Amino acid sequence: KQSALNNAKRNIETHDVNIKTMLTDGLENINLNDYNTVTISGMGTSTILKILALYILIYNENICPFRVTFFK
């Protein structure tokens, strides 16, 4: 997990963009009112869907469906 996050941080620095990164257990310990976009990556679809389903149950809010982008 940490190595994937470190790779992301290196890419962020390389491209000089302002992106905050964090390694968490799903969306726990994140104040979602502080963010307008959350990216969940580096895991399988079923795990991502479980995280999103738990979010909907806890916050009773809808979410935008995720988009998958493939690069050649």
Side-chain angles (χ1 to χ4, degrees), residues 42-56:
M43 60 198 72
T45 303
S46 62
T47 303
I48 292 172
L49 291 174
K50 286 177 188 174
I51 292 168
L52 297 177
L54 182 59
Y55 170 83
I56 292 169

Side-chain angles (χ1 to χ4, degrees), residues 6 16 27 33-34 37 39 45 54 56 58 61 64 68 70:
N6 289 337
D16 194 29
L27 296 174
N33 293 320
D34 292 342
T37 304
T39 301
T45 303
L54 182 59
I56 292 169
I58 292 172
E61 292 184 20
C64 292
V68 177
F70 295 95

